[in-house]
Every structure is written in C-alpha cells, then in structure tokens.
Amino acid sequence: MNLYKMNYILFDGPARTALLPFTYTRPVADIRIGILTIREKWEKYLGSTTTTLTEEYLSDKYPMVELEENVMVNASYLPNENLVAIVTNLKSNQAVFKGDAVIAFFTNDSQEEVDFDQYEIIEFDGDCLTVEHTWDIFAKNDAAIREDFALLTEDRISQPISKTINVISPENIFIEEGAKMEFVTLNASTGPIYIGKNAEIMEGSVIRGPFALCEEAQVKLATKVYGATTVGPHCRIGGEINNSVLFGYSNKGHDGFLGNSVLGEWCNIGADSNNSNLKNNYEEVKLWSFETESFAKTGLQFCGLMMGDHSKCGINTMFNTGTVVGVNANIFGSGFPRNFVPSFSWGGASGFVTYQTNKAFEVAKIVMYRRHVEFSDQDKAILEHVFEVSKKWRNE
C-alpha cells in the first residue's frame, strides 16, 4: 500500500493585487467564500494539509513547506471533483492550464526555475469557480455555498429542527451540533441553509437561503437575511443583510443595511449604519482598483462595501455605492465618506488624518483579547507593513 502523500502548496497568483484590501493581511487561499475558506476547500478535497506561497511579509505567519516533490495550486481557483482529479494525478513536468492561466503544476525542489515551455500542458476545459476580483466574493457566493453545502453534508445527518421553527424545504437545511435557535423562520426553498457548530439564531429572525452561519457565529434578535450570505466564524449580525460575506470575528450587530458587501476580519459596523448597493441612476458600479490606482468597472449594477481587516465605523455611518475601505480605518461623522478610504485613515466626510499604528494596535489588542485571540508579533509586523505600503494613498 502506497502511503506517500503529495505536498500541496497554494500560491497567490496574478489576482492577488485585484483582491486587495483583503489580501493585505492574508494569502488568497484564506479568503472565505461559500461556507469555507479556499484553503479549507482544497484541504477537504485533497485529504491533506496545505502551505502557502505568498508575499514575503506574510510568510512568517503563512509559511511555505517545500518537499522534494510538490504540486503548486493557484488559490484563485476553487476545487471541484473534476479539477481535483486532474491536480492529484499530476506527474513531474506536468501543468494544468485553463486558457492562458496556470491552475496547478508539479515542481521538484531541485528545479532552479519553472519554464512551462518545457512542461506537458494539460488543458482543463471544465467549469470551476474563481475568485479574481473582490466583488467575486459576494457575486459568486450563491454557487460557492451550494458547492460547500454538498461537500460538508454528504452522508451526514443534520441535528433535528426544533418544532418552534417556521421552516420551508427542511431537506435543504443542515444544523451542526450545539447550534441554538427557536422561533425563527428558515426558508431554504431558494437555496441551502447551513448552521455551524455552536452558532445561534435568536428569536424573530427571518432567513432565506443560500445562507451559511459558521461556527460560534450569532444572529441577533429579529434579523432579516437575504441570500446568498455567509456569516463567518465568531461574527455577529443584526438588522438587514443581503448577499454579503463576513470573513470572521466581525460585527454588524445592530439595525441598518449591509448589501452586496464583503467585510474582512475584526471589522465593526456601528448601529444604524447603512451602505448603498445601487446607484441612483442605476449605472454600473465602479470600485477603487489597487492595480490601476483608479476606479474600475465591475460589470455589476449592485455593489456595496468592501472593508479590510480591523476597520470600524461609528453609529449612523453612510457608505456610498461601491466603497472600498482599507485595513485599520476608523470612520465616523455625518455625510458620506469618499468611496475609497485608504488603510490607517481616521475621520469621515469632513476629511481624514492618519490613524497612527500605536493607537490602532492598542485597539486591535483589546478587540482580539475579548475574543480570546492574541494580537501577535506576526500580526503587528503585517499591519506595520500595510501601514507603510498604503502611505501613498493617505495625504501624509
């Protein structure tokens, strides 16, 4: 019996810059879409742990383990059975491409460089989900939840649904151990509903699938959720949410609207804050692009807020359609702030100053400590790097 296991390394690929501000603080592989992160999906399919090839400043926290033989996988490509079958059968000097884009390739540690002209190219002509723009995270979340739901629930039995729950299409609902909910409405006729381990939905909430509530996350009293929405581990949501993704440890705990949006980790949305997800003239939404350093077309009519890790906004904050907020920004005051808020900005519609790292890190420490997570030296070093590289956007 062959017990040899291939070593899989997920690499950021060319989409990394287009996925800022979320990839300022994590590799592409650790973006959450659907129920799981991209890394968790690959590891589940491969039956193997993975490591990461990413930016140098992230590699302390997300190291790469290279063995004699490795398969490198482009983390922008989400796994499915067909793609995984090809990737797991790769041999020396073989690579999988889709058009001009490399999905995966075999390497030896002795290789000085990878020259695809010397490789046997296998063309992948099947379908698979890709995450190549920030807005893909919410726009493709419907399909991603459905795929993850099938993957996680296959041959498993859900916890029973309480008799107090108003339920439509119970066969599309899966409840993990320890989840708590009573007197809520779950409509899974529009897509599957996944309730994670020890998660809670409080009374009076109305939820339409596709919906994923991850481990230890919480839906507050009388919350309204439209699919396709993902609430990552340890998040808190309230008010009205539509087609949005919260990565983890983020709060939008009060009334107010969040739609067609993505929040990273450790974000906090103040009470009665709202984002616009549709322009008054119904035109296509443009979003700030870190690649072109200008506003780029999304091809979408609905697009809300993209908020990087550790960013916060005060009560009654209003965000324009298609607003991009960097990492560790603190936004408050009346009026609409501009629709690109650089990392480490402090202020609002009346203007911004630099949010100094010593102040920002004090807050991060307190916020993370409350959830029993350490603000590590690695975290600090990553955020210090982000502070430096984002200087050019701030008027310093």
Side-chain angles (χ1 to χ4, degrees):
M1 183 178 165
N2 181 12
L3 293 175
Y4 173 75
K5 273 198 151 181
M6 181 51 68
N7 185 47
Y8 294 96
I9 300 168
L10 301 173
F11 67 92
D12 280 353
R16 189 252 167 188
T17 309
L19 291 166
L20 293 170
F22 305 112
T23 46
Y24 268 142
T25 46
R26 64 178 55 74
V28 173
D30 291 286
I31 285 172
R32 186 174 301 279
I33 176 172
I35 303 171
L36 304 168
T37 65
I38 298 170
R39 182 189 305 282
E40 288 167 346
K41 298 177 205 297
W42 275 105
E43 291 185 347
K44 193 145 181 63
Y45 270 104
L46 295 167
S48 164
T49 56
T50 60
T51 61
T52 312
L53 176 58
T54 185
E55 299 291 306
E56 196 177 330
Y57 77 92
L58 291 171
S59 58
D60 244 12
K61 186 171 181 179
Y62 303 96
M64 178 174 79
V65 175
E66 194 174 23
L67 301 182
E68 198 176 318
E69 297 182 321
N70 313 280
V71 170
M72 309 288 288
V73 178
N74 183 340
S76 287
Y77 286 79
L78 276 53
N80 58 35
E81 277 181 21
N82 294 341
L83 181 55
V84 170
I86 295 170
V87 168
T88 51
N89 282 305
L90 280 177
K91 305 286 188 292
S92 186
N93 266 54
Q94 289 183 327
V96 185
F97 272 71
K98 189 168 179 66
D100 294 333
V102 61
I103 299 178
F105 58 98
F106 193 106
T107 69
N108 297 49
D109 64 349
S110 56
Q111 271 178 276
E112 292 289 316
E113 57 181 47
V114 173
D115 177 6
F116 288 126
D117 290 339
Q118 307 300 315
Y119 270 63
E120 178 196 343
I121 303 300
I122 298 163
E123 184 65 33
F124 177 67
D125 54 10
D127 291 327
C128 70
L129 293 173
T130 56
V131 177
E132 295 173 300
H133 306 280
T134 51
W135 59 86
D136 287 342
I137 299 168
F138 73 79
K140 297 180 180 179
N141 199 43
D142 185 310
I145 288 176
R146 291 172 195 272
E147 287 188 4
D148 283 354
F149 186 86
L151 181 68
L152 287 172
T153 64
E154 189 180 8
D155 298 328
R156 295 179 64 218
I157 295 170
S158 168
Q159 296 294 306
I161 298 172
S162 165
K163 288 184 168 57
T164 71
I165 292 172
N166 233 346
V167 62
I168 304 169
S169 303
E171 67 280 5
N172 291 336
I173 296 171
F174 194 94
I175 303 168
E176 296 282 6
E177 199 181 352
K180 293 185 291 189
M181 54 185 163
E182 300 291 347
F183 297 101
V184 303
T185 297
L186 302 179
N187 180 358
S189 67
T190 48
I193 292 177
Y194 175 86
I195 311 298
K197 202 173 172 186
N198 300 323
E200 181 180 16
I201 305 176
M202 293 186 187
E203 306 86 272
S205 296
V206 181
I207 292 166
R208 275 182 159 235
F211 176 69
L213 185 67
C214 298
E215 189 167 344
E216 300 274 354
Q218 187 182 67
V219 178
K220 310 272 285 268
L221 284 167
T223 301
K224 295 177 286 190
V225 183
Y226 300 84
T229 291
T230 295
V231 182
H234 305 273
C235 288
R236 308 276 182 269
I237 61 161
E240 183 183 4
I241 297 186
N242 175 40
N243 187 203
S244 295
V245 176
L246 288 73
F247 283 6
Y249 292 99
S250 286
N251 291 342
K252 186 241 167 267
H254 304 285
D255 282 348
F257 175 72
L258 183 74
N260 306 96
S261 296
V262 182
L263 306 184
E265 292 188 339
W266 307 108
C267 298
N268 192 66
I269 304 290
D272 277 324
S273 294
N274 293 281
N275 79 276
S276 167
N277 61 344
L278 175 68
K279 293 178 75 155
N280 286 355
N281 58 8
Y282 289 68
E283 274 185 359
E284 175 185 355
V285 180
K286 292 179 180 176
L287 264 191
W288 175 261
S289 163
F290 290 89
E291 282 185 302
T292 61
E293 304 187 1
S294 62
F295 288 89
K297 291 181 173 183
T298 61
L300 299 174
Q301 195 174 39
F302 289 90
C303 185
L305 170 68
M306 305 286 145
M307 182 180 269
D309 289 13
H310 292 283
S311 286
K312 318 263 190 277
C313 72
I315 61 169
N316 296 117
T317 303
M318 302 189 296
F319 290 105
N320 261 311
T321 319
T323 294
V324 175
V325 175
V327 170
N328 244 311
N330 201 308
I331 301 160
F332 51 87
S334 61
F336 287 96
R338 61 195 189 199
N339 51 3
F340 168 50
V341 178
S343 299
F344 292 92
S345 295
W346 174 280
S350 55
F352 287 92
V353 296
T354 297
Y355 189 13
Q356 297 298 340
T357 51
N358 60 332
K359 298 280 189 197
F361 295 172
E362 272 175 35
V363 174
K365 248 180 224 169
I366 295 165
V367 167
M368 292 172 75
Y369 178 77
R370 286 176 69 233
R371 300 290 190 87
H372 313 291
V373 179
E374 185 198 1
F375 180 64
S376 67
D377 289 341
Q378 289 174 336
D379 295 327
K380 185 179 171 188
I382 288 168
L383 292 174
E384 280 171 342
H385 179 90
V386 176
F387 181 83
E388 292 302 321
V389 297
S390 58
K391 257 185 179 161
K392 61 179 176 178
W393 313 122
R394 300 187 298 271
N395 299 320
E396 290 186 31

